[in-house]
Amino acid sequence: MNATPIIYLSVDGATAPADLSRRVMSLEIDEHIKKGTGSPHPAAKDIAERLKGNERLPLLIETPIDGLALEGGVFNVPFGPEYNLAYQNWNWSTSNMFAIMPYQVSGMRLNYELGAGWVARLGVYNGWDQIVTDNNKGKSPMLSLEWTNPDDEETYFVLNYMAGNERATDDPRGPWWRHTLDVYAQWHANERWSVRGHVFTGIEPTRSSTTEGWFGAALFGKFDANDWFSLAA
């Protein structure tokens, strides 16, 4: 158990120790940021570049309880296996499900490392894409359960459940909660083949007898011919 809390700046799961007496924009990435192998953390350069660009970085506070951390700020929504940046995706274009997902949320969350690659997260956010202002006074809790194969980070499973009123205060459909379920997984079958599956669904009641909602599912496959050429669908 740690004796005192440790504060970090966090970017997409990577962390960098920060001297809080300095301004964030002048943050220096310490050379001792390492992976278990002792090699420089691959995200260190990206963190520095994003700081120069004045991007918002979530703040991560490790608590005295082993494996438990508190994180706050603006987050990329963890829905789905696709990324905002096209070059990080298997396909150049994203799926229709990606198009209806929120882009970012702001709020706070607790992260707890369960061991054996499992992580649980519980957060409270302003709502879908409500960063600076909010369209109502309600908050949207989200529960996440994530697993990454300790021996192969390209094999993973993620489950997200988010609920809350996402409508504006004056919306005639009423302040009913939107319930969103997001489940996806990836299997790195061997050196060349990988498979992904994704289900994204939700329901949202209204003042009338109707209930709005959606359901989407996708299956992806990728073949790595060599280090620089892949085929995906």
Side-chain angles (χ1 to χ4, degrees):
M1 181 175 292
N2 296 326
T4 58
I6 301 174
I7 297 178
Y8 293 86
L9 287 175
S10 172
V11 179
D12 296 334
T15 56
D19 179 356
L20 296 184
S21 65
R22 304 175 186 171
R23 294 180 57 190
V24 171
M25 288 306 297
S26 64
L27 174 71
E28 296 178 0
I29 307 302
D30 294 338
E31 293 182 359
H32 69 267
I33 303 174
K34 304 289 184 180
K35 277 189 163 183
T37 58
S39 59
H41 197 293
K45 181 178 179 181
D46 179 61
I47 294 172
E49 291 299 320
R50 292 181 66 175
L51 285 171
K52 291 177 183 178
N54 197 24
E55 291 192 33
R56 300 181 182 90
L57 304 181
L59 185 69
L60 180 69
I61 302 176
E62 289 190 348
T63 72
I65 302 174
D66 286 342
L68 182 64
L70 175 65
E71 199 171 10
V74 179
F75 304 90
N76 286 332
V77 179
F79 290 163
E82 297 174 281
Y83 294 90
N84 298 324
L85 301 177
Y87 76 90
Q88 294 179 318
N89 290 319
W90 288 3
N91 302 314
W92 184 255
S93 60
T94 56
S95 66
N96 291 336
M97 290 187 292
F98 182 85
I100 66 173
M101 294 176 186
Y103 177 68
Q104 290 182 320
V105 290
S106 62
M108 302 186 72
R109 68 186 182 191
L110 284 170
N111 308 320
Y112 186 65
E113 297 181 8
L114 302 171
W118 289 94
V119 178
R121 309 183 195 275
L122 178 61
V124 178
Y125 307 97
N126 274 351
W128 288 30
D129 291 322
Q130 305 299 314
I131 306 305
V132 180
T133 60
D134 202 348
N135 60 354
N136 61 57
K137 295 182 179 180
K139 302 301 176 184
S140 298
M142 179 191 292
L143 177 64
S144 301
L145 184 63
E146 305 170 5
W147 175 76
T148 302
N149 187 339
D151 299 321
D152 183 0
E153 63 181 11
E154 294 186 43
T155 296
Y156 57 79
F157 167 83
V158 179
L159 183 150
N160 296 303
Y161 169 70
M162 189 174 189
N165 177 24
E166 303 297 341
R167 297 181 178 132
T169 303
D170 58 353
D171 194 308
R173 293 171 295 177
W176 306 108
W177 276 27
R178 177 183 300 169
H179 298 269
T180 303
L181 180 65
D182 174 65
V183 183
Y184 58 96
Q186 179 174 301
W187 177 41
H188 189 203
N190 54 46
E191 183 179 344
R192 297 188 181 277
W193 287 98
S194 296
V195 179
R196 281 178 182 169
H198 182 205
V199 172
F200 184 59
T201 185
I203 59 171
E204 194 171 17
T206 66
R207 291 187 189 277
S208 65
S209 59
T210 62
T211 297
E212 301 176 346
W214 73 93
F215 177 86
L219 183 65
F220 307 80
K222 182 167 73 81
F223 174 74
D224 295 319
N226 51 45
D227 292 340
W228 58 270
F229 183 78
S230 300
L231 295 173

